[in-house]
Amino acid sequence: MSTRTTAGVGASALLTILLLAGCTPAATPDAAPSATVEAQPTPTATPTASAPAATATSATATGSTLEVFAEPGGSVTTTLQNPQESGAPLTLLVAATQGDWLQVHLAQRPNGSTGWVKADAVQQHSLEYSLEASTEANTLTLLKNGQAVKSFSAATGTGGTPTPHGEFFITELLEPTNQGYGPFAFGLSAFSDVLSSFGGGPGQIGLHGTDDVDSIGQSASHGCIRLSNADITELANLLPLGTPITIS
């Protein structure tokens, strides 16, 4: 990344996505990895009129908390902390707009949860890139403005611990500090359908590198998506938080 800052994460803020479903290679210890927080890449500028339309829009909280409502003007269902426990800025994916309100996808169970936030409580950014993962083909495809530009071989969940399907987004970017997870790890808004907890966390799914090169292209994880370390590094230098990912 062109601009990079890191901050240590203490024991109470261990890497969320790697504590949980699918992120621990079979040969690694059960101890949860520690991590440093990777600064979010500068969001891609809004395309000009002659450029293809942006893929999606992210919403990053501007205050220390963000209230989520059941409906525009309705009751508060939850209050989210900014930054997140890991230190990453609280960024959500916009699903719809209604006046001064935004419907956003939430990183919580059940998968596919949404809520409403006030538009003036977030900063919106246009997103050029999106991802599509196939658990059948064990691939991850990078798209720019809806057009496929590159495909990566990936490892996904096994039959007993499958990678969940659905529409999700990148919640955080971290640098694991212990072996087994590669140089970078994205947290996703997806949660395992079969593991309610894993390694001390709630079973959140991640997209990360791996020291187990032979697992790439196989159904080999507890639910997370693994890439080669070179490939995850390429994406870590490209994708901002909020980037949508479809898993099918």
Side-chain angles (χ1 to χ4, degrees):
M1 299 177 192
S2 58
T3 301
R4 179 174 299 175
T5 58
T6 58
V9 177
S12 64
L14 293 176
L15 175 56
T16 308
I17 54 173
L18 300 185
L19 301 183
L20 319 180
C23 295
T24 304
T28 58
D30 291 337
S34 56
T36 55
V37 178
E38 184 70 8
Q40 181 181 358
T42 302
T44 304
T46 303
T48 62
S50 60
T55 297
T57 302
S58 65
T60 300
T62 56
S64 60
T65 61
L66 180 66
E67 292 183 326
V68 180
F69 297 78
E71 58 187 7
S75 59
V76 175
T77 58
T78 188
T79 300
L80 303 176
Q81 298 297 311
N82 181 46
Q84 302 174 65
E85 186 178 8
S86 66
L90 176 63
T91 301
L92 306 171
L93 178 65
V94 176
T97 62
Q98 183 176 316
D100 296 331
W101 293 83
L102 303 175
Q103 185 182 35
V104 292
H105 296 280
L106 300 173
Q108 65 181 44
R109 296 180 188 274
N111 287 333
S113 293
T114 62
W116 291 85
V117 300
K118 296 178 180 179
D120 62 5
V122 299
Q123 184 175 10
Q124 298 182 61
H125 302 287
S126 296
L127 303 171
E128 285 186 311
Y129 292 100
S130 60
L131 298 169
E132 293 182 355
S134 169
T135 58
E136 180 178 0
N138 285 315
T139 57
L140 180 74
T141 301
L142 173 68
L143 300 93
K144 184 175 183 180
N145 296 316
Q147 300 297 314
V149 294
K150 192 168 185 178
S151 183
F152 306 91
S153 182
T156 60
T158 63
T161 53
T163 301
H165 290 181
E167 304 290 332
F168 308 107
F169 65 95
I170 290 174
T171 62
E172 54 199 331
L173 172 60
L174 305 171
E175 288 185 299
T177 57
N178 54 342
Q179 295 182 347
Y181 309 96
F184 294 101
F186 286 112
L188 304 182
S189 61
F191 289 80
S192 172
D193 291 326
V194 297
L195 298 175
S196 60
S197 63
F198 188 89
Q204 191 176 2
I205 299 299
L207 166 62
H208 60 83
T210 181
D211 290 347
D212 185 7
V213 178
D214 292 339
S215 70
I216 301 300
Q218 308 296 319
S219 298
S221 78
H222 289 97
C224 283
I225 301 171
R226 303 177 191 168
L227 297 179
S228 73
N229 291 341
D231 291 344
I232 194 66
T233 298
E234 179 178 349
L235 294 182
N237 283 277
L238 183 66
L239 302 178
L241 302 189
T243 297
I245 175 171
T246 299
I247 304 176
S248 62

